[in-house]
């Protein structure tokens, strides 16, 4: 897009690629704690888009959208790093949920219900569901988890920075892949749908909520619970 003077029309391009910024922000939200506001990510992403317009050169041999996506994600990541993107308290709560799930499953010999996990944690179902909304930002199983490594910045780079670092792509070990597939098949049916829509079809939480006719916050809770179930099972491998 060019102006009448033959110059690149920055304003028109920013308007054209605003949906890209919003899509990246919304899809990233499931990988971030509830304290992060999507509007903040969008605003930072627009700054990244403007930076991409300034720096892009067609001679680099890449499409503008590919280049812009990298700059937008980079701007969002920088903002998250500067603002203490995830509390250690959330990590602690996530591990407590996983531990409770393992105990109940071992005792009952089946996948536990939400109410049963809540009882194991000594809290009401509502409080447990609220906690699920707060601990989003922990992702599937990553190899560093198995060695006990705890590096927030490395975690952010692995799971938010690049689609190639998606947890499903990080499980390069064949046995881990097989174990993950088996674990997903044991999820409650609705949680299987959510995982498929989010990771396979690249849908964000709002879109999934519309498909299943529930609130976005409920999808967030179920996504977090699915992650906890999978991590609890995968720690045995």
């Amino acid at each position: 897009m060019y102006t009448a003077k033959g110059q690149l029309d920055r304003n028109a391009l920013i308007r054209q690629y605003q949906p890209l910024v919003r899509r990246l922000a919304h899809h990233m939200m499931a990988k971030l704690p509830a304290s992060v506001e999507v509007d903040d990510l969008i605003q930072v992403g627009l700054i990244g888009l403007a930076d991409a317009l300034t720096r892009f050169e067609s001679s680099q041999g890449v499409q503008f959208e590919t280049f812009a996506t990298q700059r937008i994600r980079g701007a969002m990541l920088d903002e998250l790093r500067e603002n203490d993107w995830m509390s250690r308290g959330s990590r602690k709560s996530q591990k407590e949920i996983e531990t409770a799930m393992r105990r109940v499953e071992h005792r009952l010999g089946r996948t536990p219900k939400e109410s049963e996990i809540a009882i194991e944690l000594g809290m009401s179902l509502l409080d447990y569901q609220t906690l699920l909304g707060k601990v989003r930002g922990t992702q599937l199983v990553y190899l560093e988890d198995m060695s006990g490594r705890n590096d927030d910045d490395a975690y952010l780079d692995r799971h938010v920075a690049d689609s190639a670092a998606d947890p499903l792509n990080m499980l390069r070990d064949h046995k881990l892949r097989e174990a993950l597939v088996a674990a997903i098949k044991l999820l409650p049916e609705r949680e299987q749908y959510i995982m498929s829509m989010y990771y396979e079809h690249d849908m964000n939480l709002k879109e999934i909520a519309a498909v299943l006719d529930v609130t976005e916050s409920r999808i967030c809770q179920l996504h977090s619970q699915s992650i906890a179930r999978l991590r609890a099972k995968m720690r045995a491998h």
Side-chain angles (χ1 to χ4, degrees):
M1 292 184 180
Y2 294 88
T3 64
K5 297 182 179 180
Q7 297 176 328
L8 198 65
D9 191 336
R10 290 173 56 86
N11 291 333
L13 283 169
I14 287 177
R15 287 194 299 271
Q16 178 182 342
Y17 285 98
Q18 279 179 344
L20 172 64
V21 175
R22 288 194 293 269
R23 180 171 61 81
L24 291 172
H26 279 285
H27 195 262
M28 189 180 287
M29 285 303 295
K31 302 177 182 180
L32 297 170
S35 58
V36 178
E37 296 288 342
V38 69
D39 287 344
D40 292 340
L41 282 184
I42 290 172
Q43 290 301 315
V44 172
L46 289 172
I47 294 173
L49 174 59
D51 181 58
L53 287 169
T54 299
R55 297 174 180 271
F56 180 71
E57 296 179 5
S58 58
S59 60
Q60 293 173 332
V62 297
Q63 294 184 340
F64 175 73
E65 183 168 333
T66 301
F67 180 78
T69 296
Q70 294 173 342
R71 303 301 300 186
I72 292 166
R73 280 203 181 103
M76 292 177 180
L77 286 168
D78 287 343
E79 177 71 10
L80 291 168
R81 289 192 184 95
E82 290 176 5
N83 290 281
D84 191 17
W85 79 284
M86 185 177 183
S87 70
R88 295 187 183 278
S90 293
R91 292 285 185 87
K92 181 175 181 292
S93 295
Q94 176 76 14
K95 290 181 179 179
E96 289 173 351
I97 292 172
E98 292 170 25
T99 300
M101 286 179 170
R102 287 196 297 271
R103 287 199 301 261
V104 178
E105 183 164 351
H106 179 73
R107 187 166 64 245
L108 300 179
R110 59 169 171 78
T111 300
K113 301 176 182 177
E114 279 184 289
S115 57
E116 293 166 337
I117 300 168
I119 291 172
E120 185 70 20
L121 288 167
M123 59 179 62
S124 69
L125 178 59
L126 179 60
D127 287 342
Y128 169 61
Q129 291 174 341
T130 299
L131 183 61
L132 285 174
K134 291 179 179 178
V135 301
R136 78 182 189 204
T138 50
Q139 288 300 291
L140 289 174
V141 176
Y142 43 95
L143 301 181
E144 290 83 347
D145 237 7
M146 306 306 167
S147 64
R149 178 182 174 183
N150 185 12
D151 184 335
D152 286 351
D153 282 341
Y155 177 93
L156 187 65
D157 290 333
R158 287 194 302 273
H159 298 304
V160 184
D162 194 321
S163 59
D166 185 277
L168 293 175
N169 293 326
M170 291 197 62
L171 295 172
R172 298 187 178 91
D173 182 273
H174 183 66
K175 290 184 178 179
L176 283 177
R177 286 180 183 275
E178 290 185 338
L180 177 59
V181 170
I184 289 175
K185 290 180 179 178
L186 293 175
L187 289 175
E189 187 176 25
R190 184 161 60 163
E191 291 180 30
Q192 288 187 46
Y193 288 152
I194 291 170
M195 298 300 284
S196 174
M197 284 186 278
Y198 185 82
Y199 288 103
E200 293 182 35
H201 300 288
D202 201 31
M203 295 171 65
N204 60 48
L205 300 183
K206 185 176 182 179
E207 292 168 336
I208 297 171
V211 171
L212 297 182
D213 195 25
V214 297
T215 64
E216 186 176 347
S217 62
R218 181 58 178 152
I219 294 299
C220 177
Q221 293 167 2
L222 291 171
H223 178 270
S224 294
Q225 183 166 258
S226 301
I227 296 299
R229 292 188 197 276
L230 293 173
R231 285 167 58 90
K233 289 182 180 297
M234 294 300 294
R235 283 183 183 278
H237 295 271

